[in-house]
């Protein structure tokens, strides 16, 4: 029997433009300082856990109410049962979104070639030379490059997204990220949440203000047709370039 670590029955936030269920899979190969799902990093559970059969029964019963399922984590591509669960979801004609850190391109390639995934959201943690500083572990640049190329080429819909806090990323870092992702259809800069992070020191940092990201937003909006600021709640005097706020 397959068990998952957490489940949100209905979310308005996790699949752009769609109502979805969110399935949390535990375990991650990174240790990002700002991670706010720290209970899942070492294979823990958000609550008591759920059986996949229980979730699937609910999805079948309520498939007219929601549009799809978002598999997130942790890092869902590390889960041996991911493809099996996605097959189950596709059998009942629901869309599938996968959140990933991009470190498992072979898994992504298999899912995309078999047309099992409708939307991929890949986290771009930093410029490549800064990954280890933020993720606290070594990451293969080749794997990240492969994942970005696979997503841009094969995913029906996608977004690349970077979590921003001024203590770890600068506008020069975003210059490098934008060059790396040049040609992508969508890029998101999302506000870092502080207060319950994997790194206790990071948890004590002040929250991000919209003023902290204004220059970065103006720069990034020149690179992407669809550039989005997500989670910045300060009042906004104007929309910068092509950017959107959600």
């Amino acid at each position: 029997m397959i068990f998952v670590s957490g489940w949100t029955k209905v979310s308005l936030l996790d699949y752009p433009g769609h109502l979805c269920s969110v399935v949390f899979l535990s375990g991650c190969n990174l240790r990002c300082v700002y991670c706010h799902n720290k209970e899942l990093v070492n294979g823990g559970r958000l609550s008591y856990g759920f059986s996949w059969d229980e979730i699937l029964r609910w999805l079948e019963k309520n498939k007219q109410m929601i549009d799809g399922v978002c598999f997130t984590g942790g890092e869902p591509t590390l889960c041996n049962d991911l493809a099996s669960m996605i097959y189950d979801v596709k059998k009942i004609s629901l869309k599938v979104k996968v959140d990933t850190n991009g470190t498992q391109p072979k898994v992504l390639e298999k899912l995309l070639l078999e047309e099992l995934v409708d939307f991929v959201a890949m986290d771009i943690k930093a410029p490549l030379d800064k990954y280890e500083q933020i993720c606290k572990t070594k990451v293969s640049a080749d794997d990240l490059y492969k994942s970005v190329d696979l997503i841009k080429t094969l995913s029906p819909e996608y977004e690349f997204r970077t979590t921003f806090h001024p203590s770890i990323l600068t506008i020069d870092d975003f210059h490098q990220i934008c060059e790396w992702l040049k040609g992508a259809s969508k890029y998101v800069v999302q506000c870092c949440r502080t207060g319950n992070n994997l790194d206790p020191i990071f948890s004590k940092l002040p929250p991000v203000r919209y003023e902290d990201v204004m220059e970065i937003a103006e720069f990034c909006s020149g690179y992407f047709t669809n550039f989005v600021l997500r989670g910045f709640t300060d009042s906004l005097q104007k929309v910068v370039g092509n950017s959107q706020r959600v």
Side-chain angles (χ1 to χ4, degrees):
M1 181 177 291
I2 300 172
F3 282 90
V4 304
S5 298
W7 175 34
T8 300
K9 288 183 178 179
V10 180
S11 170
L12 292 166
L13 302 176
D14 291 88
Y15 194 147
H18 296 284
L19 282 173
C20 72
S21 255
V22 185
V23 174
F24 294 87
L25 304 177
S26 64
C28 188
N29 53 344
L30 306 182
R31 295 295 182 270
C32 302
V33 292
Y34 52 70
C35 179
H36 61 268
N37 278 346
K38 61 183 182 179
E39 296 85 355
L40 297 177
V41 168
N42 295 313
R45 294 178 175 179
L46 288 182
S47 57
Y48 60 85
F50 301 87
S51 76
W52 176 241
D53 288 343
E54 173 189 355
I55 294 172
L56 193 59
R57 285 194 299 271
W58 187 92
L59 292 172
E60 290 175 320
K61 183 179 178 180
N62 295 279
K63 63 183 180 180
Q64 302 304 319
M65 180 178 69
I66 63 171
D67 303 310
V69 177
C70 173
F71 291 92
T72 190
E75 174 50 43
T77 59
L78 296 174
C79 176
N80 293 331
D81 295 312
L82 178 62
S84 173
M85 290 188 286
I86 290 176
Y87 275 117
D88 289 339
V89 172
K90 299 303 284 185
K91 284 178 185 176
I92 57 175
S93 301
L94 290 174
K95 292 179 176 293
V96 171
K97 175 177 177 275
V98 173
D99 294 342
T100 182
N101 59 27
T103 59
Q104 307 297 312
K106 290 182 180 179
V107 176
L108 276 179
E109 184 174 31
K110 180 176 178 4
L111 295 175
L112 289 168
L113 287 175
E114 294 184 13
E115 299 183 346
L116 293 175
V117 179
D118 301 284
F119 193 116
V120 179
M122 178 176 164
D123 291 318
I124 303 295
K125 307 293 185 179
L128 290 169
D129 62 359
K130 212 168 181 178
Y131 252 72
E132 188 173 345
Q133 176 184 332
I134 292 175
C135 301
K136 299 303 181 184
T137 187
K138 291 188 180 299
V139 178
S140 165
D142 286 344
D143 286 344
L144 296 176
Y145 275 125
K146 287 176 185 175
S147 291
V148 167
D149 289 342
L150 283 167
I151 292 166
K152 288 166 68 174
T153 304
L154 298 176
S155 189
E157 289 187 274
Y158 66 85
E159 68 180 34
F160 299 106
R161 59 194 189 187
T162 300
T163 299
F164 171 70
H165 193 283
S167 69
I168 54 174
L169 292 174
T170 68
I171 191 165
D172 288 338
D173 294 327
F174 283 94
H175 287 197
Q176 295 180 60
I177 292 170
C178 288
E179 282 295 318
W180 175 16
L181 300 179
K182 187 183 291 185
S185 62
K186 184 177 181 182
Y187 181 52
V188 178
V189 174
Q190 58 190 17
C191 184
C192 178
R193 288 184 269 170
T194 57
N196 188 34
N197 309 95
L198 185 61
D199 185 336
I201 296 175
F202 199 90
S203 295
K204 298 176 182 178
L205 294 178
V208 185
R209 304 167 304 160
Y210 177 68
E211 287 77 8
D212 296 326
V213 79
M214 287 179 65
E215 185 180 5
I216 290 165
E218 185 171 6
F219 175 80
C220 293
S221 66
Y223 268 81
F224 306 99
T225 303
N226 191 358
F227 170 69
V228 177
L229 289 178
R230 183 175 291 155
F232 294 90
T233 57
D234 294 11
S235 61
L236 176 62
Q237 300 300 317
K238 64 178 182 177
V239 176
V240 180
N242 298 319
S243 69
Q244 306 170 36
R245 296 186 76 227
V246 295

